[in-house]
Amino acid sequence: MNQIKKLLIIGFVWPEPNSSAAGGRMMQLISIFKQNGFEITFASPALDSDFMVDLSESGVKKVSIELNNSSFDDFIIELNPDVVLFDRFMIEEQFGWRVSENCPKAIRLLDTEDLHCLRTARQKAFKENRVFELHDLLSEEVAKREIASILRCDLSFIISEFEMKILKDVFKIDSGLLYYLPFLVYEMSEFDLLKLPLFEERRNFVFIGNFLHEPNWNTVQYLKETIWPLIKKQFPEAVLEVYGAYPSQKVLQLHQPKNGFFIMGRAADANEIVKNAKVVLAPIRFGAGLKGKLLEAMQCGTPSVTTTIGSEAMHANLSWNGFVTDDTELFAKKAIELYHDEKLWKQAQKNGVAIVNECYQLSKYSTALIAAINSLLNDSESHRLQNFMGSLLQHHTLKSTKYMAKWIEAKNKN
């Protein structure tokens, strides 16, 4: 009989699938491991939140852990996991050395979520009003930390094919350390579109996004100051509803009902809101990874208008479910066209179904993922022998991070 394998996930935060795409992705991963017989423990140093998912409903044990505290060593020795999944590189920095020291045989996986150094470098270039170049990444402080974390792990999940290319071409990472894993959803058919609200039943433009994420705040500012006035000029009755978790005061101040610009706050059910909207607007100017809001729009049969960065690595060579443009005038024009033209709108819907099935099909990726992890479990030694840079970094990080953490722990006790 096969022995049950233990998976420990160490989370940066507790999953909030209704607040962010990152929360949704984590629940997708949990579901895949659960269906393949893993016994899962989810640990995090984060405080509980009102909107975190109840992990026990998914059969996952929840454990609170502390940063810079040797109590984690006792916890992981007792748990003795076969696989450890770090949620974002910052968590690997904090706990990776402890895992390596106390459970050296455990397979170490990293879910990058998106390339933080890419998002940071693009944001910097945007704020400095210059064009982002790939070589900008090489001077990013966060890149050095993030790449070191990828090298220390046995396998890193990369959500975007564009980011896979960057890691191989710019940072020269061995492809054996990288695993392409986009968002994973169920297959759709055009029959599914018939169950959704019809063109004539839908109302309003919508934007949705977590406001703790800087690109989302920037997008809403851009909508309010630049794009929305162009839409209102040509379509005076237009209404835009902006939803998002954790809106700050500066976000709430953009609420302007007389101008058809509504800040709605957190969405009780994002899916329901997007399903009843006519067009999603997402003029994203910097960021990285894949945009969960745009995949959700496709699943809800809601066409979208976005930018090159918004659609980046999201649709293979297939036609977008709406329009992609970086030109503000054209953005407004296409948004209005999609809103009024039923034939155009329905074709965009069908494009979305094709993208979902081609690029994000759960069955296409989940079996291969588990096979890759089982392969690592069966032969981790030779895999690690081929990753000399990783073992070198592991050696030095273990020493430096270990003594820094022990110094902090001692300081906290005094």
Side-chain angles (χ1 to χ4, degrees):
M1 199 171 92
N2 286 342
Q3 189 183 353
I4 290 175
K5 293 187 281 285
K6 291 184 193 171
L7 166 68
L8 169 64
I9 301 173
I10 309 179
F12 182 67
V13 291
W14 301 108
E16 290 187 24
N18 291 329
S19 299
S20 70
R25 173 170 175 83
M26 181 50 73
M27 295 313 293
Q28 288 167 6
L29 291 174
I30 286 172
S31 173
I32 291 169
F33 282 106
K34 199 75 195 160
Q35 284 166 19
N36 284 277
F38 280 80
E39 186 182 282
I40 306 174
T41 301
F42 194 108
S44 177
L47 296 172
D48 286 5
S49 83
D50 294 339
F51 304 101
M52 63 194 247
V53 77
D54 183 351
L55 289 164
S56 64
E57 287 182 1
S58 302
V60 175
K61 187 182 177 189
K62 174 182 178 286
V63 176
S64 289
I65 52 176
E66 285 184 53
L67 294 169
N68 304 308
N69 194 312
S70 54
S71 59
F72 178 85
D73 303 346
D74 302 328
F75 158 69
I76 198 166
I77 288 167
E78 188 182 342
L79 182 65
N80 193 25
D82 302 283
V83 181
V84 177
L85 172 62
F86 303 103
D87 166 34
R88 302 175 176 89
F89 80 89
M90 302 81 88
I91 283 294
E92 189 279 333
E93 283 183 326
Q94 288 286 344
F95 294 98
W97 69 271
R98 291 186 185 273
V99 171
S100 179
E101 191 170 72
N102 295 296
C103 287
K105 288 187 176 175
I107 298 302
R108 297 184 296 272
L109 306 175
L110 173 64
D111 187 30
T112 56
E113 296 288 358
D114 62 19
L115 270 190
H116 291 61
C117 61
L118 177 61
R119 177 156 29 105
T120 306
R122 276 179 167 163
Q123 185 172 337
K124 200 175 280 182
F126 172 80
K127 296 206 164 162
E128 291 169 5
N129 201 22
R130 59 180 172 79
V131 175
F132 164 75
E133 304 280 358
L134 282 177
H135 60 71
D136 293 345
L137 293 167
L138 297 171
S139 56
E140 270 302 320
E141 184 67 29
V142 73
K144 297 177 178 71
R145 294 170 54 200
E146 192 165 21
I147 298 306
S149 183
I150 288 170
L151 287 167
R152 283 192 297 264
C153 288
D154 295 307
L155 203 62
S156 291
F157 300 155
I158 311 302
I159 205 166
S160 150
E161 287 183 311
F162 179 65
E163 294 180 3
M164 285 284 281
K165 188 169 166 48
I166 285 174
L167 289 166
K168 291 174 190 176
D169 296 353
V170 179
F171 294 110
K172 313 300 182 194
I173 305 276
D174 188 304
S175 58
L177 298 176
L178 308 174
Y179 195 90
Y180 172 58
L181 195 68
F183 290 127
L184 303 175
V185 297
Y186 290 107
E187 189 176 359
M188 286 181 77
S189 72
E190 291 194 15
F191 178 71
D192 291 322
L193 294 178
L194 302 176
K195 302 175 196 169
L196 296 166
L198 303 170
F199 175 81
E200 58 271 17
E201 294 170 335
R202 297 182 181 230
R203 295 283 176 275
N204 305 337
F205 294 101
V206 73
F207 171 83
I208 197 157
N210 185 324
F211 287 108
L212 295 178
H213 192 56
E214 180 69 20
N216 287 332
W217 156 239
N218 181 269
T219 298
V220 172
Q221 268 185 306
Y222 185 42
L223 272 167
K224 178 72 165 60
E225 293 163 11
T226 308
I227 288 170
W228 192 241
L230 295 171
I231 291 175
K232 283 296 275 185
K233 190 176 173 184
Q234 298 168 67
F235 179 19
E237 301 81 35
V239 168
L240 171 63
E241 294 180 337
V242 174
Y243 288 87
Y246 304 107
S248 63
Q249 196 52 45
K250 61 184 181 181
V251 175
L252 298 172
Q253 281 172 353
L254 298 180
H255 184 64
Q256 198 176 20
K258 69 177 193 299
N259 196 31
F261 199 96
F262 292 83
I263 302 293
M264 308 295 288
R266 177 183 285 274
D269 185 341
N271 208 266
E272 203 57 34
I273 282 152
V274 178
K275 263 195 320 202
N276 287 288
K278 205 167 227 180
V279 179
V280 166
L281 301 181
I284 298 159
R285 293 191 285 184
F286 55 83
L290 300 180
K291 313 303 176 286
K293 61 177 73 58
L294 296 174
L295 176 57
E296 182 177 48
M298 295 176 208
Q299 291 179 283
C300 292
T302 311
S304 64
V305 188
T306 190
T307 55
T308 309
I309 284 180
S311 69
E312 179 180 272
M314 283 205 67
H315 59 119
N317 294 316
L318 300 171
S319 299
W320 189 250
N321 74 316
F323 293 99
V324 176
T325 177
D326 297 322
D327 180 274
T328 50
E329 298 275 351
L330 192 59
F331 192 103
K333 181 173 179 282
K334 293 300 182 184
I336 294 164
E337 272 180 33
L338 260 182
Y339 196 97
H340 291 297
D341 188 330
E342 186 173 359
K343 189 179 173 189
L344 193 66
W345 189 88
K346 284 184 171 174
Q347 184 55 54
Q349 253 195 348
K350 288 176 184 176
N351 293 349
V353 171
I355 293 168
V356 167
N357 293 339
E358 175 69 26
C359 304
Y360 304 101
Q361 209 182 117
L362 178 64
S363 57
K364 184 175 164 181
Y365 292 98
S366 56
T367 309
L369 170 65
I370 296 301
I373 290 163
N374 283 334
S375 172
L376 278 174
L377 283 164
N378 293 332
D379 196 13
S380 61
E381 273 186 46
S382 66
H383 179 81
R384 287 174 178 173
L385 274 174
Q386 291 168 46
N387 180 19
F388 179 75
M389 291 304 289
S391 57
L392 181 143
L393 280 166
Q394 191 71 257
H395 172 80
H396 288 288
T397 306
L398 194 75
K399 299 285 184 283
S400 60
T401 317
K402 176 179 178 177
Y403 292 112
M404 172 60 84
K406 288 195 175 298
W407 178 79
I408 292 170
E409 186 176 6
K411 191 166 172 279
N412 289 342
K413 281 177 182 172
N414 292 335

